[in-house]
């Protein structure tokens, strides 16, 4: 299920050191300082001695706003490839501008071009541990702070103040970096950080339902899902084929894979920013349920799914592969975000995006067929029989959420319409850790995922603007 992710940091390289020294000696042309130029930092495959091999971690730098003595803002794109959109076009860019800061975006191991191994087999991915991930970023941060000329193409003061930031999973990294290395990292801005793990993350579905409810189409939507389930659960293959063509889906997919594909397609806009003028979930989902030419909820559901397929130009081949949970199970080639994320789900945090289990009695917004058994069997199939299932989520939370309770200088934000809200510390049923003046938690009313880290726009929600102001004031306090 490659679509799982669509839904969301020793030794210095000799070449790099030489290069940096050369650059410092010579006058730099602007072209050399472009923020889309890739730099590479040498890292060991394993920081704990299990492999001596070295790989190169990619990072990008924007020094346009840097003033000597200014802070360094380090972000990681998390599961995404590094891009200068992270250095040039986020709220941190604005912070760097106002504080004379340097911007760095550094890739996460096994994502983008930062590959410790030559393939993504289960055996290679055993080096994908949180401990290794954090040590990568810590090693880079030590170099940036204590040996800046070894990593930066422009003169940077020694002993700079380091601020980590990130959104979604990258927000976890920011929070963990401050919690684990308080002497190295002065503070962290963790936006929509999905730090709290649940084996079955049906709260994803419930949050989506709350968004539909706010827009007035939750009831019809859940009725449509139930109508589709009558067919999906019936075992009637000709009725299944009819349903698939009604929704513009390829025929041939199993009922369960069809259910999974529908869940993916109908939540396609759920993480898009909500502004004063635009809500993509309204345009892409609820609008179809208001359309009087569609008579039943099921027809409205089908029309909205067809529109997602059309406007995103998804071909039947693409849908057949994306929806096929057996597809690419033994494809170990690099560059598959979904495969690496799947490994993290299987071995770190679960978060399987299932329908609310029947015993909860809760209304669902995806098929009952999208349950643990839709996701979990692929863990062993993809990564080997030695992957223990289910993943021990309690152990993970004890290890990675508890330390946050004691940490200062972490700013947490979460959106009240974010499908990931209940994985953040600001859940829909209250904060999981206490919000303190040193580590405040702000719930952004009416916002979806990571909205505070976007650059200002004229039609931003007031709640989003307020969250940015609180964060800016906090960063200013840390830097004093
Ligand atoms: C850094 O980001 C700013 C803001 O987007 C941009 O104007 C500038 O060109 C970037 N610097 C470089 C060297 O690309
Ligand atoms: C994956 O890479 C490792 C180390 O480079 C190699 O030993 C192994 O044979 C590869 N596995 C597959 C399935 O390609
Ligand atoms: C299966 O569905 C078709 C409609 O697609 C219907 O005509 C047929 O009666 C159904 N079969 C059973 C056994 O319910
Ligand atoms: C799903 O993918 C598997 C593995 O590539 C393939 O054997 C199977 O035929 C595919 N199923 C469908 C319905 O396309």
């Amino acid at each position: 299920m490659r679509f799982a992710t669509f839904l969301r940091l020793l030794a210095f390289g000799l070449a790099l050191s030489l290069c940096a020294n050369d650059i410092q000696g010579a006058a730099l042309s602007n072209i050399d300082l472009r923020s889309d130029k890739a730099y590479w930092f040498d890292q060991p495959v394993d920081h704990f001695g299990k492999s001596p091999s070295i790989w190169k971690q990619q990072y990008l730098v924007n020094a346009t706003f840097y003033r000597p003595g200014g802070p360094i803002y380090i972000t990681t794109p998390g599961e995404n490839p590094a891009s200068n959109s992270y250095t040039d076009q986020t709220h941190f860019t604005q912070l760097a501008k106002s504080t004379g800061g340097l911007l760095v975006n550094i890739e996460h191991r096994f994502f983008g071009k930062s590959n410790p191994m030559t393939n993504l087999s289960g055996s290679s991915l055993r080096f994908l541990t949180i401990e290794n991930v954090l040590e990568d970023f810590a090693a880079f941060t030590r170099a940036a702070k204590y040996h800046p000329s070894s990593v930066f193409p422009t003169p940077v003061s020694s002993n700079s103040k380091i601020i980590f930031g990130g959104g979604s999973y990258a927000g976890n990294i920011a929070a963990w970096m401050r919690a684990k290395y308080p002497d190295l990292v002065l503070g962290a801005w963790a936006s929509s950080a999905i730090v709290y793990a649940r084996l079955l993350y049906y709260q994803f579905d419930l949050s989506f339902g709350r968004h539909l409810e706010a827009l007035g189409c939750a009831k019809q939507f859940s009725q449509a899902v139930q109508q589709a389930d009558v067919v999906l659960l019936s075992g009637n293959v000709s009725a299944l084929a009819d349903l698939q063509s009604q929704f513009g889906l390829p025929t041939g997919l199993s009922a369960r894979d069809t259910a999974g594909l529908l869940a993916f397609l109908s939540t396609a806009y759920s993480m898009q920013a909500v502004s004063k003028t635009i809500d993509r979930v309204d345009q892409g989902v609820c609008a179809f349920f208001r359309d009087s030419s569609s008579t039943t909820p099921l027809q409205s559901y089908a029309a909205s799914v067809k529109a997602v397929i059309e406007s995103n130009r998804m071909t039947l081949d693409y849908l057949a592969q994306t929806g096929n949970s057996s597809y690419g199970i033994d494809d170990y080639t690099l560059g598959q975000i979904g495969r690496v994320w799947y490994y993290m789900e299987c071995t770190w945090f679960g978060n399987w995006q299932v329908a609310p289990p029947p015993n909860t009695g809760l209304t669902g917004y995806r098929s009952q067929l999208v349950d643990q058994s839709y996701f979990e069997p692929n863990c062993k199939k993809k990564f080997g029989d030695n992957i223990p299932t289910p993943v021990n989520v309690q152990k993970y939370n004890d290890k990675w959420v508890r330390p946050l309770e004691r940490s200062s200088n972490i700013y947490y934000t979460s959106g009240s319409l974010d499908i990931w809200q209940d994985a953040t510390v600001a859940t829909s049923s209250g904060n999981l850790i206490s919000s303190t003046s040193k580590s405040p938690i702000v719930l952004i009313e009416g916002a979806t995922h990571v909205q505070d880290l976007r650059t200002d726009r004229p039609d931003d929600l007031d709640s989003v603007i307020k969250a940015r102001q609180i964060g800016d004031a906090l960063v200013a306090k840390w830097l004093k």
Side-chain angles (χ1 to χ4, degrees):
M1 280 144 287
R2 298 180 303 152
F3 56 79
T5 41
F6 282 79
L7 294 182
R8 338 283 61 349
L9 323 162
L10 156 127
F12 307 129
L14 184 64
L16 189 62
S17 306
L18 285 174
C19 185
N21 290 339
D22 280 359
I23 284 168
Q24 281 185 350
L28 267 173
S29 69
N30 277 336
I31 216 82
D32 293 324
L33 279 177
R34 284 172 51 137
S35 63
D36 60 357
K37 182 174 158 61
Y39 300 92
W40 304 92
F41 187 78
D42 281 8
Q43 295 280 11
V45 167
D46 187 80
H47 288 273
F48 308 95
K50 288 186 205 123
S51 165
S53 305
I54 298 294
W55 59 282
K56 290 188 183 302
Q57 186 170 21
Q58 184 179 212
Y59 63 100
L60 308 173
V61 178
N62 181 328
T64 295
F65 307 115
Y66 182 68
R67 291 192 304 264
I72 302 176
Y73 296 96
I74 304 181
T75 60
T76 164
E79 70 273 25
N80 297 302
S83 144
N84 64 345
S85 64
Y86 293 99
T87 51
D88 299 7
Q89 288 168 49
T90 74
H91 184 65
F92 291 110
T93 317
Q94 292 173 302
L95 262 175
K97 198 171 178 179
S98 61
T99 57
L102 184 82
L103 293 150
V104 179
N105 187 238
I106 178 164
E107 248 166 19
H108 183 293
R109 61 166 55 205
F110 286 105
F111 291 111
K113 296 193 173 109
S114 298
N115 290 298
M117 303 295 279
T118 56
N119 61 48
L120 301 176
S121 69
S123 163
S124 295
L125 285 164
R126 75 186 188 278
F127 296 110
L128 178 54
T129 62
I130 301 179
E131 286 85 350
N132 266 325
V133 167
L134 298 183
E135 276 305 317
D136 290 341
F137 294 127
F140 177 83
T141 304
R142 275 181 213 111
K145 190 171 172 73
Y146 300 118
H147 308 279
S149 67
S150 71
V151 289
F152 295 127
T154 185
V156 169
S157 307
S158 200
N159 207 19
S160 298
K161 290 170 173 163
I162 311 282
I163 309 278
F164 250 82
S168 198
Y169 166 61
N172 297 25
I173 302 292
W176 289 335
M177 286 303 292
R178 167 59 190 174
K180 189 160 184 191
Y181 311 96
D183 298 337
L184 205 51
V185 177
L186 178 64
W189 186 320
S191 170
S192 301
I194 56 166
V195 292
Y196 187 72
R198 300 172 200 262
L199 180 63
L200 302 181
Y201 186 50
Y202 61 84
Q203 288 79 5
F204 184 101
D205 202 53
L206 300 180
S207 296
F208 182 59
R210 275 195 298 279
H211 195 162
L212 299 178
E213 211 169 296
L215 296 168
C217 79
K219 205 167 186 166
Q220 297 97 306
F221 191 92
S222 70
Q223 281 168 357
V225 167
Q226 282 164 28
Q227 285 173 8
D229 259 1
V230 170
V231 173
L232 292 170
L233 298 165
S234 71
N236 182 333
V237 287
S238 81
L240 175 61
D242 288 348
L243 187 82
Q244 287 164 332
S245 58
Q246 186 184 0
F247 279 75
L249 303 179
T251 50
L253 287 176
S254 69
R256 180 166 263 133
D257 280 352
T258 302
L261 187 57
L262 281 176
F264 161 61
L265 293 169
S266 55
T267 52
Y269 300 124
S270 56
M271 289 200 286
Q272 304 245 342
V274 171
S275 73
K276 280 178 181 158
T277 53
I278 290 173
D279 185 327
R280 295 290 283 117
V281 172
D282 193 48
Q283 295 175 339
V285 183
C286 287
F288 290 88
F289 288 85
R290 284 193 288 267
D291 183 348
S292 58
S293 67
S294 299
T295 49
T296 68
L298 189 68
Q299 285 166 331
S300 304
Y301 187 25
S304 75
V305 167
K306 269 186 160 164
V308 171
I309 293 170
E310 241 163 66
S311 57
N312 292 285
R313 295 193 176 80
M314 296 170 176
T315 63
L316 281 177
D317 278 349
Y318 168 83
L319 291 165
Q321 284 181 11
T322 304
N324 182 348
S325 54
S326 301
Y327 186 82
I329 248 169
D330 50 8
D331 178 359
Y332 301 140
T333 53
L334 296 176
Q336 303 179 72
I337 295 175
R339 184 179 184 84
V340 183
W341 187 261
Y342 216 99
Y343 182 82
M344 290 156 69
E345 292 176 307
C346 292
T347 60
W348 295 9
F349 45 58
N351 284 328
W352 302 121
Q353 295 157 21
V354 298
N359 63 5
T360 61
L362 294 161
T363 301
Y365 301 89
R366 62 184 56 204
S367 168
Q368 283 297 323
L369 285 174
V370 186
D371 61 8
Q372 195 166 356
S373 71
Y374 170 62
F375 295 103
E376 209 171 72
N378 269 355
C379 291
K380 286 184 195 299
K381 286 189 198 151
K382 279 174 180 272
F383 308 114
D385 286 337
N386 55 338
I387 301 287
T389 51
V391 56
N392 189 339
V393 168
Q394 163 120 39
K395 198 170 146 201
Y396 170 94
N397 285 330
D398 284 347
K399 190 162 182 186
W400 299 108
V401 182
R402 288 247 178 105
L404 300 177
E405 181 74 72
R406 300 184 293 273
S407 301
S408 63
N409 294 13
I410 303 178
Y411 179 44
Y412 299 98
T413 58
S414 182
S416 72
L417 294 183
D418 186 358
I419 46 176
W420 284 104
Q421 185 193 349
D422 279 5
T424 73
V425 295
T427 75
S428 55
S429 46
N431 291 339
L432 292 180
I433 62 175
S434 31
S435 175
T436 64
S437 59
K438 287 205 156 141
S439 289
I441 301 174
V442 166
L443 183 68
I444 311 177
E445 214 42 65
T448 58
H449 206 51
V450 195
Q451 280 198 230
D452 50 317
L453 289 191
R454 293 166 180 256
T455 45
D456 294 349
R457 281 165 209 228
D459 62 346
D460 281 334
L461 299 175
D462 293 338
S463 56
V464 171
I465 295 169
K466 183 86 196 296
R468 289 188 190 127
Q469 287 167 347
I470 294 170
D472 291 357
L474 212 57
V475 170
K477 209 163 100 185
W478 298 338
L479 292 177
K480 243 194 221 146

